[in-house]
Amino acid sequence: MASPSPWCFFLLLALVFPSSTSTQILFQGFNWDSKSSAGWYNILKTKIPDLVNAGITHVWLPPPSNSHPNGSEGYLPGRLYDLDTSKYGNKGELKALIADLRRNGIKAIADIVINHRTAERQDSNGRWSIFEGGTPDNRLDWNISFVCKNDSPFSGDGNPDTGMDWGEAPDIDHLNPQVQTELSDWMNWLKSDVGFIGWRFDMVVGYTPMATKIYMERTSPEFAVGEKWDNPPGRVVQEQDRRALLEWIQAAGGAVAAFDFTTKFVLHAAVKGELWRLKDSSNRPPGLIGLKPENAVTFIDNHDTFSQRSAPFPEGKVMLGYVYILTHPGTPTIFYDHLLEWGQTLQKPIVELTTVRKRIGINNKSKVRIITAEADLYMAEIEEKMIVKIGARLNLGNLLPPTYREIATTSGEDYAVWEKK
């Protein structure tokens, strides 16, 4: 047999390890109340033209599996292979939505809730320990030995829990090889049979990052991001928090991204007259995007922080948050409500910013040069192609180079964007 051409080898590398530079824009395709809307998958299909117009490349969909009645949003999953009893719609409707998204150049991300799982019934000792996967061949049919043994009040027979406890359902033993194999098989089925291309890992603080590494390696997602939220709302230890995000990414194998909670909460204070916070001691952005932007997924709000009012972005300042994340590196996320429920006063400027971001080529690794960060003024140059200003100050002095011109469509109250002439 002839030796393969060196070009074949390089082509294989390109396929297995695509360029890490990305202009992706993620959209959260639901909120906490979406399960109450009859046929959510079908409703979202009608919104696809709006998503295309906004330059969305990926849509994060809600947990697709059967869930306990007390958690119909999907975050108390039970029969993981059962996609027909979700409050959002059935499997056929989900597959049709994903196919329609794909036809429009948009890929679907599944919400993977695997820290905990609700049992079907109790065992003879009164413990909630009989799990059913939803298939006739016993896949994911587990018992008490698959529950962490120190998981109060469920008292499992498995290994000790490797993360934070979730008291509403049994915590699953992710050190169990069968758990690792069967969950990986289920996720690969979501790819091959349903059409998902990647994952949003829910509550990764609940189990060891080594388990995330295993699931990443065994399922090879095109895109994956973890929800690592350690601190209560409003408590931000900037350097500690972003270092914890980076350490989790590294422990999980380095390929998975993380939601940049540090950037979100620093922005909370910054947009209320403390814009000096948007620069660290090394003149970099203060969140995860200042350390490893290619693994940072930035966001303003989501179903937890806004819909449940656990940590909503400061009222009246939401657009300033989007100005920041849509002009800076990382993968920005747009929340459903902000794009599709708050009207044109927010949708129009968001779309104008995503349009400019794509046209100029701002990506997840774009270079940032912070020009100034003071209480009432933040200015930064991105990729030596764009300058963004946030803050009420009108007199910029000589901070704006003469080589830049203002993009009128992307300027508004307390913000402006300039492009190099």
Side-chain angles (χ1 to χ4, degrees):
M1 181 180 295
S3 298
S5 163
W7 291 108
C8 294
F9 176 72
F10 289 124
L11 177 60
L12 178 61
L13 283 178
L15 292 173
V16 177
F17 301 104
S19 170
S20 59
T21 300
S22 166
T23 56
Q24 297 169 340
I25 297 176
L26 179 64
F27 175 73
Q28 182 175 1
F30 64 101
N31 60 30
W32 194 250
D33 296 322
S34 297
K35 90 283 186 180
S36 302
S37 303
W40 183 253
Y41 296 144
N42 292 333
I43 290 173
L44 195 56
K45 276 183 70 174
T46 68
K47 309 296 184 181
I48 291 178
D50 292 303
L51 306 187
V52 172
N53 185 50
I56 303 301
T57 61
H58 294 71
V59 172
W60 156 24
L61 296 178
S65 299
N66 159 270
S67 190
H68 191 278
N70 290 341
S72 55
E73 298 83 7
Y75 293 96
L76 289 175
R79 299 186 299 275
L80 295 182
Y81 277 98
D82 177 3
L83 307 188
D84 285 323
T85 56
S86 165
K87 289 292 185 180
Y88 302 104
N90 59 42
K91 180 183 177 183
E93 292 166 341
L94 174 59
K95 292 182 69 172
L97 168 61
I98 291 174
D100 209 2
L101 286 167
R102 187 179 292 271
R103 279 191 290 271
N104 285 276
I106 302 173
K107 299 176 180 180
I109 307 299
D111 204 325
I112 302 297
V113 185
I114 53 177
N115 169 71
H116 50 271
R117 189 175 170 203
T118 55
E120 289 287 328
R121 56 188 183 279
Q122 296 173 312
D123 63 13
S124 57
N125 295 318
R127 299 182 296 183
W128 287 98
S129 62
I130 310 300
F131 300 87
E132 294 182 5
T135 69
D137 55 2
N138 302 322
R139 284 175 290 171
L140 294 172
D141 287 2
W142 296 341
N143 55 41
I144 197 66
S145 66
F146 293 81
V147 176
C148 296
K149 68 179 180 182
N150 58 337
D151 179 30
S152 178
F154 300 100
S155 305
D157 292 338
N159 291 293
D161 203 341
T162 54
M164 292 174 60
D165 183 37
W166 181 253
E168 295 185 43
D171 281 14
I172 298 304
D173 175 13
H174 287 273
L175 299 181
N176 186 315
Q178 186 176 339
V179 167
Q180 296 169 1
T181 297
E182 294 192 357
L183 285 178
S184 297
D185 290 346
W186 169 66
M187 292 162 69
N188 280 321
W189 174 79
L190 289 177
K191 287 175 64 179
S192 62
D193 193 75
V194 184
F196 288 107
I197 61 90
W199 323 122
R200 178 264 183 185
F201 289 103
D202 178 68
M203 195 183 166
V204 297
V205 294
Y207 52 93
T208 171
M210 291 302 295
T212 303
K213 183 175 186 289
I214 289 170
Y215 301 131
M216 288 290 293
E217 291 173 346
R218 294 187 182 182
T219 65
S220 302
E222 292 182 29
F223 178 94
V225 57
E227 181 208 24
K228 179 175 168 56
W229 186 2
D230 297 289
N231 293 329
R235 180 180 176 270
V236 182
V237 184
Q238 177 182 306
E239 196 61 31
Q240 175 183 309
D241 289 355
R242 68 174 181 168
R243 289 286 173 186
L245 288 172
L246 180 59
E247 289 168 6
W248 177 81
I249 290 168
Q250 293 168 336
V256 67
F259 281 110
D260 194 346
F261 278 91
T262 311
T263 288
K264 170 181 166 61
F265 289 123
V266 170
L267 278 170
H268 276 219
V271 298
K272 292 189 289 187
E274 299 179 8
L275 290 167
W276 54 267
R277 292 182 179 273
L278 296 180
K279 179 179 72 171
D280 71 7
S281 59
S282 299
N283 209 40
R284 300 171 301 185
L288 179 60
I289 61 171
L291 299 179
K292 199 166 179 60
E294 62 270 33
N295 288 73
V297 176
T298 53
F299 71 106
I300 300 304
D301 268 321
N302 61 29
H303 62 294
D304 285 322
T305 66
F306 178 76
S307 299
Q308 297 190 83
R309 311 303 293 175
S310 60
F313 204 77
E315 188 174 353
K317 303 292 185 179
V318 168
M319 190 59 215
L320 296 183
Y322 278 111
V323 170
Y324 185 85
I325 69 170
L326 290 174
T327 59
H328 280 62
T331 298
T333 307
I334 300 174
F335 181 44
Y336 181 89
D337 291 36
H338 294 160
L339 186 70
L340 297 179
E341 289 197 351
W342 284 28
Q344 285 296 309
T345 55
L346 194 60
Q347 184 184 97
K348 187 174 182 290
I350 286 177
V351 170
E352 288 167 347
L353 280 169
T354 61
T355 301
V356 171
R357 179 184 180 89
K358 288 203 160 190
R359 179 169 57 78
I360 292 179
I362 306 302
N363 58 66
N364 64 341
K365 296 178 71 175
S366 285
K367 178 183 176 182
V368 178
R369 180 179 70 88
I370 297 176
I371 299 169
T372 189
E374 304 171 53
D376 62 344
L377 177 65
Y378 170 80
M379 289 181 67
E381 184 181 46
I382 320 295
E383 282 289 319
E384 299 181 349
K385 298 178 181 178
M386 169 198 288
I387 288 179
V388 60
K389 169 246 179 184
I390 301 173
R393 190 189 303 181
L394 298 177
N395 183 6
L396 304 180
N398 61 357
L399 294 175
L400 183 66
T403 52
Y404 279 83
R405 64 178 179 84
E406 185 173 0
I407 309 172
T409 57
T410 54
S411 297
E413 184 178 355
D414 292 345
Y415 73 92
V417 176
W418 294 268
E419 181 180 7
K420 186 165 279 189
K421 294 177 183 176

